[in-house]
Amino acid sequence: MVAISKPPIELFFSKPSKPTNNNNNNNPLSFPTIPIIDLSKSDSKHLLVKACQEFGFFKVINHGVPMQSIKKLESQATKFFSSPLSLKQKSGPPNPFGYGNRRLGTNGDFGWVEYLLLNAKLESDHNSPPFSVFEENPEDFRCVVNDYVTSVKKMACEILEMLADEMGLEARNVFSKLLMDEESDSVFRVNYYPPCPEVQEHESKGKKLIGFGEHTDPQIISVLRSNNTSGLEISLRDGTWVPVPSDSSSFFVNVGDSLQVMTNGRFKSVKHRVVANSSKSRLSMIYFGGPPLSEKIAPLDSLMVGEEASLYKEFTWFEYRKSAFNSRLSDNRLSLFEKIRTT
């Protein structure tokens, strides 16, 4: 195996943050303002739409995903990332699926993270390298992942259908059918952020250890769950970064770029990042619900009211995915597909 040189530790730290008068920096957001939505309540549809419009991000409780399924997968994932590096590297590099370490994509992005990227349709991915690490019984890991992804995908589809209902769209499954399609290009990712002893020295200079750099998700919807270690941050519209308190029993949901386009900008794809720390590891599991590669992405005709103009050019998911994955994480990926507005 070819040895890969380690990038210098300085690459993983952000630049010192600029001082601001925003009160959020003095009093970190404790989230009465970030939506927490109880999916079992009758007003959840309205609150979901409001959250997608105002934040593009929300937490859901009473989500119906069995805790047993969550804990089993967390246990198996922890076992994987605790394995010797030489063993984990047998599952990589991700091409496109498999184990990755530090390098994010092919465009110079680095993060203090190890990860497993898996096809969400595990039944079509029998020979996936990650499963070979579980030499004793790889089928056990496959079953645990499949059970978890099936439950989370169901929840994601229910959320998308509730959004369509509240928006008065004729087809309740206008969004969810893209995830349910046999050709859906959905992926599942497990991220592991190990402790970093060098953090304190750099934090004293106003820097943060970047586990996963700032970005938006290109798909339709993302559903994330993590252990009890914090680290997720979202960017408010004024550019302020605010931390998201950890909650291992709930799920966090992001609007993706594709859903922003399909709603003609009514829903906002939120920019987010993960920072790591010196003493605790963070484990997160994310389901990215994507459409089929050939699916045309454009604002829905039923949402174009009166003389409302489309803000985006039509494109296929394959075209957007290719463009997004050939860009840097922090790039405004949708800018290439925005229509030039004239006055």
Side-chain angles (χ1 to χ4, degrees):
M1 179 176 290
V2 178
I4 300 175
S5 59
K6 292 184 178 180
I9 188 67
E10 287 75 18
L11 281 177
F12 299 100
F13 285 87
S14 65
K15 296 177 180 178
S17 21
K18 296 179 181 179
T20 175
N21 293 325
N22 193 302
N23 290 333
N24 284 327
N25 281 349
N26 300 322
N27 181 24
L29 203 58
S30 57
F31 292 106
T33 50
I34 291 294
I36 301 175
I37 300 174
D38 185 338
L39 294 181
S40 68
K41 296 291 182 65
S42 58
D43 64 347
S44 57
K45 293 181 185 179
H46 170 72
L47 295 177
L48 284 170
V49 169
K50 185 177 179 182
C52 290
Q53 292 172 334
E54 296 180 357
F55 284 93
F57 175 86
F58 50 92
K59 179 167 82 171
V60 294
I61 59 176
N62 288 326
H63 43 71
V65 179
M67 282 304 299
Q68 182 181 13
S69 176
I70 294 172
K71 293 299 183 183
K72 278 185 177 180
L73 179 54
E74 182 178 302
S75 175
Q76 291 276 21
T78 300
K79 177 182 177 182
F80 174 85
F81 289 110
S82 299
S83 302
L85 180 59
S86 59
L87 184 60
K88 290 182 287 190
Q89 285 180 327
K90 291 181 179 179
S91 299
N95 186 31
F97 303 113
Y99 169 78
N101 189 339
R102 305 289 192 264
R103 296 176 184 271
L104 302 171
T106 58
N107 299 291
D109 286 305
F110 293 96
W112 192 258
V113 62
E114 299 177 47
Y115 61 90
L116 266 179
L117 188 62
L118 304 174
N119 189 337
K121 298 176 291 187
L122 297 181
E123 66 279 2
S124 64
D125 203 24
H126 288 297
N127 297 318
S128 181
F131 299 106
S132 64
V133 172
F134 295 85
E135 295 174 347
E136 296 177 3
N137 195 343
E139 197 60 32
D140 279 356
F141 181 56
R142 187 190 308 278
C143 289
V144 168
V145 173
N146 192 57
D147 287 348
Y148 178 87
V149 169
T150 299
S151 295
V152 172
K153 176 182 174 181
K154 179 182 178 183
M155 176 183 63
C157 288
E158 288 174 352
I159 289 172
L160 291 172
E161 290 176 1
M162 292 166 76
L163 290 170
D165 271 349
E166 183 64 19
M167 297 176 79
L169 302 179
E170 288 185 12
R172 187 173 191 263
N173 69 341
V174 65
F175 303 127
S176 63
K177 68 181 181 181
L178 302 178
L179 274 59
M180 297 300 295
D181 194 294
E182 289 185 1
E183 300 301 320
S184 168
D185 184 45
S186 297
V187 296
F188 179 63
R189 185 180 187 116
V190 185
N191 289 335
Y192 173 73
Y193 304 91
C196 178
E198 292 93 338
V199 168
Q200 292 178 341
E201 175 189 348
H202 289 268
E203 283 186 338
S204 66
K205 301 174 184 176
K207 299 180 179 180
K208 289 188 174 184
L209 175 64
I210 299 300
F212 211 109
E214 62 180 79
H215 63 286
T216 59
D217 295 336
Q219 291 89 352
I220 295 171
I221 192 172
S222 307
V223 183
L224 175 147
R225 182 264 171 195
S226 70
N227 62 1
N228 278 318
T229 302
S230 60
L232 178 63
E233 296 184 346
I234 65 168
S235 177
L236 302 181
R237 294 191 185 181
D238 65 0
T240 302
W241 285 101
V242 292
V244 178
S246 59
D247 184 340
S248 60
S249 63
S250 302
F251 285 88
F252 296 94
V253 180
N254 291 349
V255 168
D257 294 342
S258 296
L259 188 56
Q260 177 172 318
V261 171
M262 294 177 75
T263 60
N264 205 34
R266 287 170 173 78
F267 293 172
K268 306 299 181 185
S269 180
V270 65
K271 185 173 285 188
H272 53 287
R273 68 183 183 185
V274 174
V275 296
N277 63 53
S278 61
S279 58
K280 291 183 177 181
S281 62
R282 172 181 167 87
L283 183 76
S284 61
M285 308 179 291
I286 314 101
Y287 168 77
F288 297 96
L293 291 173
S294 60
E295 183 69 27
K296 293 180 179 179
I297 307 297
L300 298 175
D301 290 339
S302 54
L303 287 177
M304 307 301 284
V305 180
E307 299 299 317
E308 181 176 349
S310 169
L311 302 179
Y312 305 95
K313 306 170 188 175
E314 182 179 271
F315 52 85
T316 65
W317 167 241
F318 174 79
E319 291 170 333
Y320 189 61
R321 189 185 75 161
K322 181 179 179 181
S323 173
F325 292 173
N326 285 332
S327 66
R328 295 293 298 270
L329 276 177
S330 59
D331 289 347
N332 179 359
R333 296 158 168 172
L334 277 178
S335 63
L336 296 175
F337 299 89
E338 292 174 349
K339 287 188 175 180
I340 298 175
R341 287 174 287 232
T342 58
T343 54

